[in-house]
Amino acid sequence: CQVDLSTLSREQTHKLEMPLEEGEGYLVLLVALTASAAVTISDLSVNSLEDQKEREEILKRYSPMMMFHDMKDVGFLQVKVIRAEALMAADVTGKDLFSKSDPFCVVELNNDRLLTHTVYKNLNPEWNKIFTFNIKDIHSVLEVTVYDEDRDRSADFLGKVAIPLLSV
């Protein structure tokens, strides 16, 4: 389906039910257009901070002259989730000679929660993703959790690390 964003008002959440082209059913979307920077996910090969124009805008936005312009805009955090190694095997079936896991990674900062894709049947997955978060509180804690995807039930916990932003 296609959505014409120019018809939507800014700073408001819109619930859209869009019929799928070339198929049956509807896609239900919640869309909000905002001028503020949002959390993002990108591939490791596409690093926005390597773009000189983007880098200059960030340096200007967080310069000492702008320090008190927006007290809730402390800065941003970019997390690179490259890979995991030697994960626990969570999927044990009688058919498989070797047990594996279907890992995916969840990165959370306050109320923002982003996920990688699942790498199936792998104990050493590579995700190569970049997560960018706005920091509104320097006392926040970044949580990175790895789960095993199970299609017929809830995901199995494989491990977690919590990193206070003040320690970065």
Side-chain angles (χ1 to χ4, degrees):
C1 65
Q2 293 183 0
V3 178
D4 182 2
L5 298 179
S6 66
T7 63
L8 303 178
S9 57
R10 297 184 192 328
E11 305 299 335
Q12 177 183 347
T13 301
H14 303 273
K15 181 178 180 183
L16 306 174
E17 293 185 22
M18 306 295 298
L20 296 175
E21 296 174 5
E22 301 179 28
E24 292 184 27
Y26 288 84
L27 183 62
V28 179
L29 303 168
L30 293 177
V31 179
L33 300 178
T34 180
S36 63
V39 296
T40 62
I41 303 174
S42 61
D43 288 324
L44 194 59
S45 61
V46 184
N47 187 350
S48 63
L49 292 184
E50 291 175 2
D51 178 12
Q52 187 62 31
K53 185 177 179 183
E54 178 79 12
R55 189 179 202 79
E56 288 172 8
E57 286 180 25
I58 289 170
L59 289 173
K60 181 180 174 185
R61 183 175 172 185
Y62 298 112
S63 71
M65 297 283 291
M66 299 294 288
M67 187 180 306
F68 298 107
H69 185 273
D70 185 355
M71 295 299 285
K72 292 187 177 186
D73 187 11
V74 177
F76 72 98
L77 174 69
Q78 195 169 72
V79 180
K80 297 179 182 182
V81 179
I82 299 169
R83 68 177 175 270
E85 295 179 0
L87 293 176
M88 178 181 73
D91 297 336
V92 181
T93 64
K95 298 180 228 170
D96 293 334
L97 183 59
F98 301 101
S99 298
K100 297 284 183 184
S101 287
D102 301 321
F104 65 95
C105 186
V106 177
V107 182
E108 297 174 274
L109 184 66
N110 297 325
N111 291 329
D112 296 323
R113 184 177 198 260
L114 300 174
L115 290 77
T116 67
H117 60 282
T118 300
V119 179
Y120 294 97
K121 298 185 183 202
N122 198 320
L123 299 180
N124 301 294
E126 287 194 23
W127 294 291
N128 294 317
K129 295 292 180 191
I130 299 174
F131 298 91
T132 304
F133 296 92
N134 286 329
I135 300 174
K136 296 178 177 89
D137 182 358
I138 197 65
H139 298 96
S140 299
V141 176
L142 175 73
E143 294 182 359
V144 181
T145 311
V146 179
Y147 294 97
D148 170 61
E149 179 185 296
D150 285 322
R151 294 180 183 177
D152 54 347
R153 53 192 170 93
S154 62
D156 296 324
F157 175 82
L158 295 178
K160 179 179 188 172
V161 63
I163 306 167
L165 294 187
L166 284 174
S167 70
V168 177

